[in-house]
């Protein structure tokens, strides 16, 4: 739920050559970005780029918001969303040739991609849209070891891209957000960091002091029969105070990190009824929990996690297939003591579980309406690919040197963005028969190591072919 999170480019730090270099000529006044752009930059920006880092906006058609430096939040107008979309259109190239056609299997050569990045770095050229959008790839379905050419190939569906009215860049066929080069680089360069941090994680949490203040506030609340508690919410939020942002496993100033925070933020807003759900089959938690018994000592927490099938590979470990929805929503009840410290109960509220299951079931439809969730899955996919290559030592098996993508040679310069440490309180309150329930906690947990280690043999994968018909490009289409 990141309207407020996404920060702005760090002032005084030039965005050079690689990702984001094209924005240097686009110095815009502070403007409101669509909440959809949460994943990329959702905030008031002074020296603005349409989309942080590598290029263009991550978007969201409904519920655009602006987070000012003082922490205030307001909805973006339709005109502001249109302005943002036009900035993005002006900054990118329209797909042409084979890029203008959808295909079930496009192949990326990591050797070729690294060579293109190295050439751009040495010549000082700006990266083109084709490279920033990874040739229009929608998902990575296959990771293939090409020992003959000392290469690793990534294959999956691809399609032309377009800019939605709210500024999001999506595929013209499925409407899904395109994969991003900067997320791929962050994924590869963060594998060891994620290992040391116990995975890639994000959460937005109230402080212990805020919980105590809220408890004291509620002790003095006396509602008359039939009285609407809505008038208390401003005072409750003030007592609750700012919520803290926690990130681990990836650089906090990366687009990848902003995507995690944005998706978490938006999930909570939908769950808590702070924004209208765009999917008919996904009402807010407040709607399904209305007039039900509520616990006065615990509250539900939701988080999004990886949801992949076992990774299949051929007998020789040459071809690896990644499948599954990618993202699921989980829940558990939290309880807190008199000091406001939280502990997990290990229990699940049936109504909270129902909402989590509904979001998982509606994820595809939701991610088309709110591309921030597709951006999250894209980030998870790339984290799984980078972790798989590292854990299974596919780079050593193929003989490829991945130092460029892993950032060891400083040839890929990612744009850097300030990430706020706290947010204005985003929470809802339910008055039930047993007391008040406060819904405010959430998060994202990307355990790519568990996914990469859950592997099974599928001997039919040995027949997967991705032969290239062009030696001059780092990508091609394969039947």
């Amino acid at each position: 739920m990141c309207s407020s999170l996404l920060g702005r480019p760090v002032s005084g730090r030039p965005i050079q050559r690689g990702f984001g270099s094209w924005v240097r000529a686009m110095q815009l006044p502070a403007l409101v970005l669509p909440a959809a752009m949460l994943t990329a930059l959702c905030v008031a920006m002074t020296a603005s780029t349409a989309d942080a880092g590598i290029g263009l906006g991550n978007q969201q058609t409904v519920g655009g918001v602006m987070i000012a430096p003082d922490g205030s939040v307001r909805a973006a107008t339709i005109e502001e969303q249109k302005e943002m979309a036009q900035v993005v259109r002006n900054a990118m190239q329209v797909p042409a040739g084979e890029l203008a056609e959808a295909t079930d299997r496009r192949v990326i050569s990591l050797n070729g991609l690294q060579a293109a990045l190295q050439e751009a770095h040495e010549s000082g050229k700006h990266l083109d849209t084709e490279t920033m959008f990874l040739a229009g790839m929608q998902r990575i379905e296959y990771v293939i070891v090409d020992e003959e050419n000392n290469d690793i190939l990534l294959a999956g569906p691809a399609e032309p891209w377009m800019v939605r009215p709210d500024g999001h860049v999506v595929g013209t066929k499925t409407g899904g957000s395109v994969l991003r080069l900067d997320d791929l680089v962050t994924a590869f360069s963060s594998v060891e960091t994620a290992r040391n941090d116990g995975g890639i994680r994000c959460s937005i949490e109230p402080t212990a002091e805020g919980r105590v203040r809220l408890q004291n506030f509620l002790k003095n609340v006396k509602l008359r029969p039939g009285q609407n508690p809505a008038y208390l919410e401003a005072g409750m939020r003030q007592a609750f105070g700012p919520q803290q942002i926690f990130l681990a496993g990836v650089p906090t100033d990366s687009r990848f990190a902003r995507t995690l925070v944005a998706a978490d933020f938006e999930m909570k807003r939908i769950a808590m009824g702070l924004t209208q759900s765009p999917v008919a089959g996904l009402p807010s938690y407040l709607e399904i929990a209305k007039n039900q018994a509520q616990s006065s000592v615990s509250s539900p927490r939701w988080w999004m996690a990886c949801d992949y099938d076992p990774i299949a590979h051929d007998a020789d470990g040459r071809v690896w297939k990644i499948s599954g929805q990618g993202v699921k929503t989980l829940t558990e009840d939290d309880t807190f003591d008199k000091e406001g410290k939280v502990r997990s109960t290990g229990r699940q509220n049936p109504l909270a579980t129902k909402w989590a299951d509904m979001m998982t079931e509606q994820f595809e439809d939701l991610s088309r309406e709110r591309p921030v969730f597709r951006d999250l899955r894209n980030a998870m996919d790339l984290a799984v690919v980078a972790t798989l290559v590292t854990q299974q030592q596919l780079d050593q098996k193929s003989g490829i040197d991945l130092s460029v993508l892993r950032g060891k040679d400083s040839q890929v310069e990612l744009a850097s963005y300030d990430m706020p440490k706290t947010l204005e309180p985003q929470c809802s309150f339910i008055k039930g028969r047993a007391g008040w329930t406060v819904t405010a906690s959430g998060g994202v947990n990307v355990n790519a190591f568990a996914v990469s280690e859950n592997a099974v043999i599928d001997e039919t994968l040995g027949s997967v072919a991705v032969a290239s018909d062009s030696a001059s490009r780092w990508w091609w289409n394969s039947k």
Side-chain angles (χ1 to χ4, degrees):
M1 287 172 104
C2 149
S3 344
S4 82
L5 318 176
L6 298 186
R8 51 181 191 229
V10 176
S11 59
R13 180 172 175 177
I15 300 174
Q16 303 177 9
R17 299 191 182 98
F19 315 125
S21 56
W22 56 273
V23 304
R24 286 183 293 182
M26 298 167 44
Q27 299 301 311
L28 306 177
L31 54 84
V32 179
L33 304 181
M37 307 207 81
L38 295 180
T39 64
L41 36 147
C42 147
V43 170
M45 300 155 77
T46 48
S48 172
T49 80
D51 173 347
I54 68 171
L56 314 169
N58 299 337
Q59 319 66 19
Q60 191 166 12
T61 53
V62 182
V65 297
M66 172 182 176
I67 307 301
D70 64 1
S72 60
V73 183
R74 74 171 176 84
T77 66
I78 297 299
E79 287 304 314
E80 287 165 336
Q81 292 187 9
K82 289 180 180 178
E83 182 180 355
M84 191 68 245
Q86 191 58 50
V87 169
V88 176
R89 291 190 189 97
N90 291 342
M92 74 178 194
Q93 297 95 28
V94 175
E98 289 184 87
L99 289 175
E101 303 173 359
T103 176
D104 290 335
R105 188 174 297 172
R106 183 159 291 161
V107 184
I108 290 177
S109 158
L110 293 189
N111 248 344
L113 177 60
Q114 289 193 132
L117 296 176
Q118 187 170 0
E119 192 277 332
H121 174 80
E122 293 174 352
S123 66
K125 294 180 181 178
H126 296 175
L127 291 180
D128 55 22
T129 308
E130 170 185 321
T131 307
M132 294 187 293
F133 291 157
L134 292 176
M137 295 284 282
Q138 286 281 310
R139 293 203 78 176
I140 305 297
E141 292 183 342
Y142 297 96
V143 178
I144 301 171
V145 174
D146 181 1
E147 296 180 59
E148 181 179 352
N149 296 298
N150 300 122
D151 203 356
I152 290 178
L153 310 177
L154 308 181
E159 56 195 78
W161 53 85
M162 66 177 185
V163 182
R164 293 185 0 164
D166 57 16
H168 281 290
V169 178
V170 299
T172 58
K173 179 180 178 181
T174 63
S177 298
V178 294
L179 294 175
R180 302 298 189 91
L181 174 60
D182 52 355
D183 289 340
L184 178 65
V185 173
T186 299
F188 266 110
S189 63
S190 299
V191 173
E192 295 307 320
T193 302
R195 189 196 309 277
N196 295 333
D197 288 350
I200 298 171
R201 291 172 286 115
C202 159
S203 66
I204 305 172
E205 305 286 348
T207 65
E209 295 79 9
R211 292 189 181 95
V212 171
R213 287 195 301 268
L214 181 62
Q215 284 179 309
N216 293 333
F217 179 92
L218 294 176
K219 287 178 182 177
N220 299 316
V221 171
K222 302 292 183 183
L223 288 180
R224 297 187 300 274
Q227 186 177 12
N228 188 337
Y231 81 97
L232 295 168
E233 292 195 0
M236 290 178 173
R237 288 190 175 89
Q238 184 177 8
F240 222 6
Q243 293 172 253
Q244 298 176 306
I245 301 173
F246 297 98
L247 283 160
V250 291
T252 59
D253 62 352
S254 64
R255 179 186 183 276
F256 198 118
R258 287 195 313 279
T259 296
L260 301 179
V261 176
D264 178 22
F265 189 79
E266 193 61 22
M267 174 187 67
K268 286 168 54 180
R269 293 187 68 219
I270 293 173
M272 298 182 298
L274 297 174
T275 186
Q276 180 66 41
S277 170
V279 178
L282 183 64
S284 70
Y285 172 72
L286 270 64
E287 290 178 74
I288 64 177
K290 189 182 300 181
N291 300 322
Q292 301 295 318
Q294 302 294 333
S295 170
S296 59
V297 296
S298 65
S299 60
R301 174 172 57 91
W302 294 279
W303 70 96
M304 289 171 285
C306 293
D307 185 23
Y308 293 89
D309 300 331
I311 295 182
H313 62 88
D314 65 350
D316 296 328
R318 185 185 70 87
V319 181
W320 300 73
K321 183 178 181 180
I322 302 171
S323 60
Q325 177 166 276
V327 184
K328 62 184 175 183
T329 304
L330 302 174
T331 185
E332 192 170 271
D333 278 0
D334 285 341
T335 188
F336 46 89
D337 59 23
K338 293 180 180 180
E339 286 74 39
K341 296 180 180 178
V342 176
R343 66 176 178 83
S344 175
T345 65
R347 298 189 299 269
Q348 296 179 343
N349 178 320
L351 291 176
T353 299
K354 178 179 179 180
W355 190 86
D357 291 344
M358 292 172 71
M359 182 171 175
T360 299
E361 293 166 2
Q362 299 293 330
F363 184 82
E364 288 293 338
D365 290 340
L366 181 62
S367 65
R368 278 191 292 269
E369 296 296 327
R370 300 283 174 92
V372 64
F373 295 109
R374 179 63 68 87
D375 287 327
L376 174 65
R377 188 176 75 180
N378 288 351
M380 286 186 174
D381 282 357
L382 295 176
V384 169
V385 168
T387 304
L388 175 68
V389 169
T390 303
Q391 287 287 91
Q392 301 295 339
Q393 300 182 337
L394 303 187
D395 53 335
Q396 296 181 31
K397 186 171 185 176
S398 69
I400 188 175
D401 178 1
L402 291 174
S403 57
V404 174
L405 286 175
R406 286 177 171 148
K408 295 180 180 179
D409 294 336
S410 301
Q411 294 181 0
V412 180
E413 301 177 55
L414 301 180
S416 176
Y417 294 82
D418 283 328
M419 175 68 76
K421 298 185 185 306
T422 61
L423 291 181
E424 293 279 325
Q426 298 287 331
C427 47
S428 291
F429 309 89
I430 304 172
K431 178 66 169 69
R433 294 192 292 271
W436 292 89
T437 290
V438 181
T439 60
S441 298
V444 178
N445 184 4
V446 185
N447 189 349
F449 295 94
V451 176
S452 67
E453 291 168 358
N454 184 21
V456 296
I457 294 178
D458 180 353
E459 295 183 357
T460 65
L461 291 176
S463 62
V464 173
V466 291
S468 171
D469 58 1
S470 172
S472 61
R473 287 192 312 215
W474 55 267
W475 64 268
W476 61 88
N477 294 337
S478 178
K479 297 180 180 179

